[in-house]
């Protein structure tokens, strides 16, 4: 817990924030700020833990370590996914040691205490231990499901998530992630503060210099070029007409936040691109309920630890786990339709490169930014009022969460 002296020090640090600029160095490097981030955001908010399609069959489980806790997601005999603390109620050993697996029962390897897939203790403990087994089941964690995305919260009273759910469920529902499977999972150890990773995610100002393939495939960059605005408007209108004909939601080329901490936005791709691949050509069979290609992508961002890009034939989900003030683990999953056959309907050498390249380029950028911010010469620079308003929004949200005093001013986008 943060004591009074530390709370006063942190308050002074957060008070240095100037809307429309980055944060002071200590807010990206200080271990005390990292601990405060965990207490005030990661132990309070809804966190993306995984997708239901990662654990499709009864007995399938997935574990995720976040701070001092390990979340255990398990699909029960009734087909429902539940979340528990991965801690035996006897002596506290982790029940499931692996990150992924399948079990008929959940058994602690220490003394053999065994739990059902619904978390109930199977052992009769009343006589020997003086406590009935009904009091010794695995401790549950709050869980909500949104079109197969699984979010957990450690808070007694988590923030209202209804707005995000109302956006996610109908827009993502067409893609039926519950009928998807994991084609590939990759984990990264990124030597950067989690906020730097988010700031980088929230803008495409860097795309022309850092992401050549992404730049060719999207309208994020040409939308800011005066000579190409008419082209962008034409492609966007044609895409929205197609989305409407397919029963999909519509959007525009500029992806603003849908709410304070979430974004769910369908965007057109550049002309000639069918899906998010290196050459724009399909990389797998259609997903979910889609009967034909939409030539668009559904972008999702949920603070503080999740974003996803969903094309017609695959989805790429990203989960951030802070590890230290200057380090985080990032997990990336590529999902395809569950009936797609590797080697026939898709190959990893076609499926992976687009987002693998973009992700790894971003991780290097973030590590270099962390190194630069750590310099004694660093001071927060101003944000572009054209291309970095989403970064300003993110930092406004962050400071508001850390101080319970949302900044009165926000950077207004200049058209």
């Amino acid at each position: 817990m943060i004591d009074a002296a530390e709370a006063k020090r942190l308050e002074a640090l957060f008070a240095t924030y100037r809307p429309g600029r980055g944060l002071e160095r200590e807010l990206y490097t200080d271990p005390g700020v990292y601990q405060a981030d965990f207490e005030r955001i990661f132990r309070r908010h809804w966190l993306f833990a995984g997708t239901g399609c990662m654990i499709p069959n009864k007995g399938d489980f997935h574990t995720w370590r976040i701070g001092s806790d390990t979340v255990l997601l398990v699909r029960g005999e009734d087909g429902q996914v539940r979340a528990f603390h991965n801690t035996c109620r006897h002596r506290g050993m982790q029940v499931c040691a692996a990150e992924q697996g399948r079990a008929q029962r959940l058994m602690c390897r220490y003394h053999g205490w065994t739990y059902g897939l619904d978390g109930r203790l199977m052992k009769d403990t009343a006589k020997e231990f003086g406590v009935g087994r009904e009091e010794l089941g695995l401790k549950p964690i709050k869980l909500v499901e949104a079109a197969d995305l699984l979010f957990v919260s450690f808070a007694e009273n988590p923030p209202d998530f209804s707005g995000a759910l109302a956006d996610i469920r109908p827009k993502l529902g067409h893609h039926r992630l519950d009928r998807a499977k994991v084609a590939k999972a990759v984990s990264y150890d990124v030597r950067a503060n989690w906020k730097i990773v988010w700031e980088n995610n929230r803008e495409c100002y860097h795309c022309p210099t850092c992401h050549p393939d992404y730049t060719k495939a999207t309208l994020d960059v040409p939308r800011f070029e005066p000579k190409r605005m008419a082209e962008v408007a034409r492609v966007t209108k044609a895409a929205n007409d197609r989305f409407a004909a397919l029963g999909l939601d519509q959007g525009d080329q500029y992806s603003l936040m849908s709410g304070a901490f979430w974004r769910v936005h369908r965007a057109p791709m550049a002309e000639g691109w069918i899906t998010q691949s290196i050459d724009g050509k399909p990389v797998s069979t259609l997903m979910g309920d889609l009967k034909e290609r939409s030539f668009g992508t559904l972008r999702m961002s949920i603070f503080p630890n999740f974003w996803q890009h969903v094309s017609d034939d695959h989805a790429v989900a990203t989960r951030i786990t802070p590890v230290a003030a200057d380090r985080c683990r990032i997990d990336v999953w590529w999902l395809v339709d569950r009936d797609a056959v590797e080697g026939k309907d898709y190959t990893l050498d076609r499926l992976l490169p687009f987002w693998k390249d973009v992700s790894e380029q971003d991780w290097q950028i973030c590590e270099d930014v962390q190194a630069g911010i750590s310099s004694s010469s660093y001071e927060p620079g101003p944000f572009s009022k054209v291309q970095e308003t989403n970064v300003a929004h993110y930092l406004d949200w962050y400071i508001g969460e850390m101080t319970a005093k949302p900044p009165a001013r926000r950077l207004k986008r200049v058209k």
Side-chain angles (χ1 to χ4, degrees), residues 155-228:
E156 188 74 29
N157 296 296
D160 182 13
F161 203 57
S162 59
L165 294 177
D167 250 1
I168 296 169
R169 285 170 173 161
K171 294 178 182 179
L172 182 57
H174 299 282
H175 299 273
R176 295 299 302 269
L177 295 192
D178 61 313
R179 296 207 312 252
K181 66 179 179 181
V182 177
K184 183 68 174 178
V186 180
S187 296
Y188 298 93
D189 181 9
V190 180
R191 293 166 304 195
N193 184 275
W194 70 279
K195 297 187 289 292
I196 289 174
V197 175
W198 264 115
E199 289 178 26
N200 178 74
N201 172 269
R202 293 287 64 229
E203 49 91 353
C204 209
Y205 188 20
H206 70 282
C207 291
T209 50
C210 302
H211 301 311
D213 291 316
Y214 183 86
T215 298
K216 289 187 293 185
T218 71
L219 300 178
D220 287 312
V221 178
R223 72 185 181 208
F224 297 118
E225 300 175 13
K227 64 182 180 180
R228 298 188 65 184

Side-chain angles (χ1 to χ4, degrees), residues 240-254:
N240 276 331
D241 290 344
R242 185 168 180 79
F243 296 160
L246 294 174
L248 303 173
D249 53 286
Q250 300 176 54
D252 58 32
Q253 78 278 3
Y254 193 77

Side-chain angles (χ1 to χ4, degrees), residues 40-96:
R40 300 180 189 180
I41 293 181
F42 285 88
R43 295 202 61 80
R44 193 173 73 85
H45 265 269
W46 290 99
L47 309 175
F48 174 71
T51 67
C53 71
M54 295 175 186
I55 47 174
N57 304 302
K58 65 180 181 181
D60 287 349
F61 66 84
H62 174 79
T63 64
W64 172 44
R65 186 162 185 82
I66 172 78
S68 59
D69 291 290
T70 302
V71 177
L72 170 60
L73 300 172
V74 60
R75 192 173 293 276
E77 298 279 356
D78 57 0
Q80 296 298 306
V81 176
R82 296 175 177 83
F84 301 102
H85 287 274
N86 188 25
T87 302
C88 181
R89 297 297 307 283
H90 177 219
R91 297 273 291 280
M93 187 174 189
Q94 289 198 328
V95 177
C96 295

Side-chain angles (χ1 to χ4, degrees), residues 18-37:
R18 289 181 290 168
R21 289 178 176 262
L23 303 175
E24 293 291 340
R25 177 175 56 253
E26 289 81 3
L27 296 178
Y28 299 108
T29 62
D30 187 277
V33 173
Y34 167 75
Q35 291 299 326
D37 286 355

Side-chain angles (χ1 to χ4, degrees), residues 96-169:
C96 295
E99 285 194 14
Q100 201 83 15
R102 181 180 296 177
Q104 292 183 329
R105 296 287 186 270
L106 305 172
M107 188 180 77
C108 175
R109 303 174 321 286
Y110 198 4
H111 298 96
W113 279 37
T114 302
Y115 302 86
L117 301 180
D118 59 0
R120 290 184 295 177
L121 180 64
M122 311 299 288
K123 182 182 180 66
D124 187 352
T125 55
K127 185 175 181 180
E128 183 178 356
F129 295 87
V131 181
R133 62 185 175 189
E134 65 277 0
E135 297 181 43
L136 294 171
L138 295 177
K139 289 189 176 181
I141 299 173
K142 293 181 179 66
L143 171 72
V144 295
E145 180 270 337
D148 210 52
L149 303 179
L150 305 173
F151 294 89
V152 298
S153 179
F154 299 108
E156 188 74 29
N157 296 296
D160 182 13
F161 203 57
S162 59
L165 294 177
D167 250 1
I168 296 169
R169 285 170 173 161

